[in-house]
Amino acid sequence: MSSREEHDHLGVSQQALEMDSGEKRLNELGYKQELRREMTLFKTLAITFSSMAVFTGTPLYGPSLRYAGPASLIWGWVVVTFFTWFVGLALAEICSSFPTTGSLYFWAAHLAGPRWGPFASWCCAWLETIGLISGIGAQAYSGAQALQMIILLSTGTNKGGGYFASRSVFLAMYMTLTLIWAILNSFALQVIAFLDIISIWWQVIGGLVVIIMLPLVAQQTQPASYVFTHFDTSPEATGIRSKPYAVILSVLLSNYCLYGYDTAAHLTEETKGSDRTGPIAILSSIGIISAFGWAYNLALTFCIRDPNYLYDVNNETAGALVPAQIIYDAFHGRYQNSTGAVVFLCIIWGSFFFCGLSVTTSAARVVYALSRDKGIPFSPIWRRVHPKQKVPRNAVWLCAAICMILGLPILKLDVVFTAIISISTIGWVGGYAVPIFARLVMAEENFKPGPFYLGKARRPICLVAFLWICYTCSAFLLPTLYPLQWRTFNYAPIALVVALTAIMLWWVLDARKWFKGPVRNIDIQNGVI
């Protein structure tokens, strides 16, 4: 070997030694590194944590409390947390083996094998896309609702002539938030990472402030027996007389809050050592949100002054957001003004803002990855990466546009939030089911484990996780109010049936002929790219 050849060989060897473990695994899976890999574990955790958010269940707290009382809501969170860990462990193991931006649908393709891989990948990709884009809408709606309360209490409350945003103004808030998130996501990922570092401190510090200070401020609190043991349905308000049905609907709050941890997987192509940091971020986010979310629900429930007054359309918050009324009652009872309530609602609003920003980041990565594999119409447009910022800018704006269309029924329907979160949860969590089921039934010798490996425990863990996901998706298809009327009808099942039917027809008639799942864009021969 000549000295020049020896030098080149040493250079290649040195480059291989210096290659990030996540990038090396990405190359083995057939993808070249296109996105900028500069995210650390803390930054990835910050974005993942932000996608879940401490206060994300705030809009659902009131309905959940009304369905079956505080005991069902509080203990339901514990039950959901228990089963969520099974899902998180199953996804963490797969993420460690397949650290790619395509994440769920990429996993489904490889785990299902060459025969079923393309179909599994197709189903998973579209479920995930539907779930994430509608997830942006859920946060935009929550943010608009919190802002509506902030303006109302800042201008005099509902009783004092304060301004309560009309449907059209509410929709404008929804649209504006979506646009802001799209604009911010058009910059380099470092901008989002910086904002999400602010987010994690905002939510941790803000969460602690709300959780600790609210019970201290409230002059009148409920006894522990009410919070932990009181069970009470409200058939006259909800139209639901079946107690098991009421409990299922009461627990939807917890089902909705405890997902989104797969965001870490969407960022693995931009994260250092992602085969290790991805699983850590997934499991850490579940642990943090589980604890904070339960504490937040406890703080709200202990501080209820009058359960019936919370839903009165003539109260200070027009009965529109129960946690806002609880917080207002606490501060007004002690200080005879609403300043403290406005401050707390601003903390909650900030949580929604950062959460929506992170979900937009995640949704754009999924659309980009699916476009890279030619799974979306006009894929060449959506898979373009901005040459300077290195972000899929076109994918960001596609997600924002669809999200804004999804919010248009706000002008006419009362249960838009219920529909949006149902679509988001069924799509997002339903997407988890496909790779988990494939992992459950595949032969173990066909799986190349990463640093995080479940070993013999993977089968029972995956089975429990899959069954729990099936239950969760089924629960979000149920009507939430009776009798069924046009203005109170949950249109999520209809929207999902239409969308999924179209996607399946597209598969049968056309896509199965050309969609082969993830498309390799590099070839590795003899270990050299």
Side-chain angles (χ1 to χ4, degrees):
M1 181 183 294
S2 69
S3 60
R4 182 184 181 90
E5 289 174 334
E6 185 176 356
H7 180 271
D8 290 344
H9 178 73
L10 288 172
V12 171
S13 300
Q14 184 67 25
Q15 184 180 9
L17 288 172
E18 293 175 354
M19 182 180 289
D20 180 272
S21 60
E23 181 179 348
K24 182 179 180 182
R25 178 60 178 148
L26 182 69
N27 293 161
E28 291 173 357
L29 293 169
Y31 283 96
K32 61 184 177 182
Q33 185 70 44
E34 293 182 297
L35 302 174
R36 188 173 290 153
R37 190 179 289 271
E38 56 189 11
M39 300 282 287
T40 62
L41 170 60
F42 184 74
K43 291 177 181 177
T44 300
L45 177 60
I47 295 179
T48 307
F49 181 79
S50 297
S51 292
M52 298 182 75
V54 172
F55 303 108
T56 192
T58 299
L60 275 179
Y61 178 87
S64 296
L65 181 68
R66 199 172 207 179
Y67 284 126
S72 177
L73 187 154
I74 296 300
W75 293 115
W77 184 279
V78 176
V79 172
V80 174
T81 297
F82 174 76
F83 287 106
T84 297
W85 278 105
F86 285 87
V87 183
L89 287 168
L91 292 182
E93 183 198 44
I94 303 171
C95 177
S96 184
S97 179
F98 301 103
T100 67
T101 289
S103 59
L104 299 178
Y105 87 93
F106 184 98
W107 303 346
H110 283 263
L111 295 171
R115 181 180 178 185
W116 292 103
F119 180 66
S121 180
W122 179 263
C123 294
C124 187
W126 279 104
L127 282 170
E128 191 177 10
T129 302
I130 290 169
L132 278 163
I133 293 176
S134 53
I136 303 171
Q139 296 309 313
Y141 190 100
S142 300
Q145 194 173 45
L147 188 57
Q148 183 185 49
M149 290 296 103
I150 291 169
I151 295 170
L152 177 61
L153 295 182
S154 299
T155 55
T157 78
N158 184 49
K159 283 186 172 181
Y163 176 74
F164 185 80
S166 62
R167 287 179 183 270
S168 57
V169 174
F170 190 99
L171 179 61
M173 295 175 181
Y174 175 100
M175 298 288 189
T176 301
L177 282 170
T178 306
L179 287 171
I180 292 172
W181 294 331
I183 291 169
L184 290 173
N185 270 282
S186 296
F187 296 105
L189 188 64
Q190 282 298 95
V191 174
I192 305 300
F194 173 75
L195 290 172
D196 280 317
I197 289 174
I198 297 175
S199 166
I200 194 170
W201 293 116
W202 179 285
Q203 297 200 66
V204 169
I205 296 173
L208 288 172
V209 168
V210 172
I211 290 164
I212 295 170
M213 291 300 297
L214 187 59
L216 293 177
V217 169
Q219 289 183 311
Q220 179 183 342
T221 58
Q222 295 290 339
S225 59
Y226 172 81
V227 175
F228 293 106
T229 65
H230 185 71
F231 179 86
D232 181 27
T233 59
S234 303
E236 69 286 348
T238 64
I240 296 169
R241 302 190 179 279
S242 166
K243 290 183 179 180
Y245 194 172
V247 170
I248 289 171
L249 294 182
S250 179
V251 177
L252 289 183
L253 163 71
S254 308
N255 294 121
Y256 170 62
C257 293
L258 292 170
Y259 71 90
Y261 34 86
D262 61 302
T263 298
H266 303 311
L267 300 170
T268 48
E269 288 186 35
E270 298 160 89
T271 304
K272 299 174 183 176
S274 53
D275 51 345
R276 290 178 172 82
T277 56
I280 293 172
I282 287 171
L283 299 176
S284 298
S285 296
I286 294 174
I288 296 170
I289 291 294
S290 298
F292 270 83
W294 198 56
Y296 174 54
N297 290 335
L298 283 173
L300 287 174
T301 309
F302 269 109
C303 294
I304 293 173
R305 190 178 65 183
D306 180 357
N308 294 322
Y309 185 66
L310 296 175
Y311 303 94
D312 188 343
V313 294
N314 296 314
N315 68 18
E316 288 80 3
T317 57
L321 186 63
V322 165
Q325 185 65 41
I326 294 172
I327 295 169
Y328 172 84
D329 287 341
F331 278 95
H332 189 268
R334 183 173 291 273
Y335 302 111
Q336 285 71 54
N337 64 63
S338 59
T339 303
V342 171
V343 172
F344 272 31
L345 286 170
C346 286
I347 293 173
I348 293 170
W349 179 86
S351 175
F352 294 138
F353 179 86
F354 287 121
C355 182
L357 184 67
S358 295
V359 175
T360 303
T361 304
S362 201
R365 267 54 186 182
V366 172
V367 170
Y368 158 76
L370 185 56
S371 300
R372 183 174 61 179
D373 296 328
K374 303 174 183 177
I376 293 180
F378 309 108
S379 288
I381 298 174
W382 316 125
R383 69 168 176 255
R384 288 178 191 162
V385 176
H386 190 272
K388 182 178 180 181
Q389 306 296 349
K390 296 295 183 182
V391 294
R393 187 174 288 182
N394 291 353
V396 168
W397 285 99
L398 175 64
C399 294
I402 297 172
C403 174
M404 287 190 280
I405 294 170
L406 193 63
L408 291 176
I410 287 171
L411 293 172
K412 293 293 181 182
L413 299 179
D414 295 329
V415 290
V416 173
F417 184 70
T418 301
I420 291 176
I421 65 166
S422 296
I423 295 169
S424 174
T425 307
I426 293 169
W428 203 334
V429 178
Y432 295 174
V434 183
I436 289 176
F437 180 76
R439 176 77 181 104
L440 174 66
V441 300
M442 75 179 298
E444 189 63 17
E445 60 268 19
N446 296 331
F447 181 75
K448 180 179 179 180
F452 183 85
Y453 180 51
L454 295 175
K456 294 181 179 179
R458 62 99 179 178
R459 186 150 284 171
I461 287 174
C462 288
L463 178 60
V464 173
F466 177 74
L467 293 175
W468 177 249
I469 291 169
C470 291
Y471 159 76
T472 300
C473 293
S474 300
F476 275 94
L477 289 172
L478 298 172
T480 55
L481 290 172
Y482 287 89
L484 298 178
Q485 298 174 350
W486 168 246
R487 292 177 66 85
T488 60
F489 180 66
N490 178 8
Y491 66 85
I494 296 176
L496 282 166
V497 166
V498 171
L500 295 178
T501 299
I503 290 166
M504 289 300 102
L505 282 175
W506 185 12
W507 170 262
V508 171
L509 299 176
D510 180 49
R512 64 186 177 87
K513 301 173 186 176
W514 51 265
F515 184 79
K516 304 302 180 186
V519 178
R520 295 171 64 95
N521 59 15
I522 61 173
D523 288 314
I524 303 178
Q525 295 178 342
N526 300 321
V528 179
I529 302 171

